[in-house]
């Protein structure tokens, strides 16, 4: 579900949301969220949350990224904060 923002995409993902973003994408996996940020990417896995500008999670499970320009390549329960 995309509720607000511009130029966002969700493809092949179940129960995922983008809220208040611009230029963000969720591609694959399930139960992801990207909130109030710019240019974020979630590439797959399960249960990721991204709220840092220009940040990404590529795979794994239950990773949280709230730091700007942060990256998690995979793994479980990683947290990156500002």
């Amino acid at each position: 579900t995309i509720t607000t923002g511009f130029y966002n995409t969700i493809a092949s993902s179940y129960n995922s949301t983008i809220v208040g973003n611009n230029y963000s994408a969720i591609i694959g996996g399930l139960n992801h969220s990207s909130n109030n940020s710019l240019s974020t990417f979630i590439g797959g896995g399960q249960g990721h949350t991204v709220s840092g500008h220009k940040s990404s999670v590529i795979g794994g499970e239950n990773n949280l990224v709230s730091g700007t320009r942060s990256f998690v390549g995979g793994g479980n329960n990683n947290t990156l904060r500002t």
Side-chain angles (χ1 to χ4, degrees):
T1 305
I2 300 171
T3 58
T4 58
F6 300 99
Y7 307 108
N8 298 303
T9 300
I10 297 176
S12 299
S13 184
Y14 175 77
N15 196 37
S16 294
T17 60
I18 294 176
V19 179
N21 290 22
N22 293 320
Y23 311 105
S24 295
I26 297 174
I27 310 296
L30 64 145
N31 300 327
H32 303 306
S33 65
S34 185
N35 306 304
N36 302 312
S37 47
L38 174 69
S39 300
T40 63
F41 178 80
I42 298 174
Q46 179 177 343
H48 303 306
T49 300
V50 176
S51 60
H53 296 308
K54 301 177 182 174
S55 295
S56 301
V57 175
I58 304 304
E61 186 175 30
N62 299 321
N63 294 301
L64 169 65
V65 177
S66 61
T68 300
R69 295 183 182 97
S70 299
F71 172 82
V72 173
N76 296 326
N77 300 309
N78 295 298
T79 300
L80 299 176
R81 297 187 190 269
T82 309

